[in-house]
Amino acid sequence: MATVSVRYIVDDVDAAIAFYCAHLGFTEKMHPAPTFAMLERDDLRLVLSAPSTAGGGGQAMPDGTNPEPGGWNRFLLEIPDLAATVGALREAGADFRNDIVTGVGGKQILLNDPSGNPVELFEPTRPEAALTP
């Protein structure tokens, strides 16, 4: 059961569902409208909203600013074998912002979802950087 929710604005909810479920291990929990869906992976609920005038997370702000995908904020998925995962994703045609880099706690890479939202894939190299022992 998810304990954390993150909302991503996406251009195409169906394309995002296909991407996250096929490549990153999410499952679809609900998809009641073309502009909205909820996916889950372990403790993470990913709420997907397309820009829409129908209300909800995809509606414009009071000043008229429309939500749009992209940016640099992201969620992080811990991956046991980053090189193998990246290889499989590249083979499937996934789009990355960079190559694998090594930091002080592990190796990471930024993957773009179909709308250009970043997802950080992270392989810890230090025990204290891992989510689970």
Side-chain angles (χ1 to χ4, degrees):
M1 181 176 165
T3 58
V4 174
S5 290
V6 172
R7 182 182 307 272
Y8 262 3
I9 303 299
V10 297
D11 295 318
D12 181 330
V13 172
D14 291 327
I17 291 169
F19 174 80
Y20 283 104
C21 291
H23 300 297
L24 297 177
F26 282 82
T27 57
E28 182 181 324
K29 291 301 175 187
M30 64 185 291
H31 186 27
T35 59
F36 180 79
M38 283 185 178
L39 310 180
E40 288 186 0
R41 181 180 189 257
D42 302 325
D43 288 335
L44 175 62
R45 172 177 286 161
L46 182 57
V47 180
L48 303 170
S49 295
S52 170
T53 59
Q59 68 186 337
M61 296 290 103
D63 69 358
T65 303
N66 288 313
E68 60 184 42
W72 287 97
N73 293 322
R74 60 201 180 253
F75 64 88
L76 182 149
L77 297 177
E78 190 169 302
I79 305 295
D81 185 344
L82 186 60
T85 300
V86 168
L89 285 163
R90 285 194 195 282
E91 197 169 294
D95 178 45
F96 291 90
R97 290 189 179 190
N98 62 338
D99 291 319
I100 294 173
V101 297
T102 301
V104 296
K107 298 181 279 187
Q108 65 256 9
I109 193 167
L110 291 180
L111 168 69
N112 284 321
D113 77 4
S115 295
N117 292 307
V119 177
E120 182 174 325
L121 305 180
F122 177 77
E123 180 182 341
T125 56
R126 298 170 62 133
E128 61 270 28
L131 291 172
T132 55

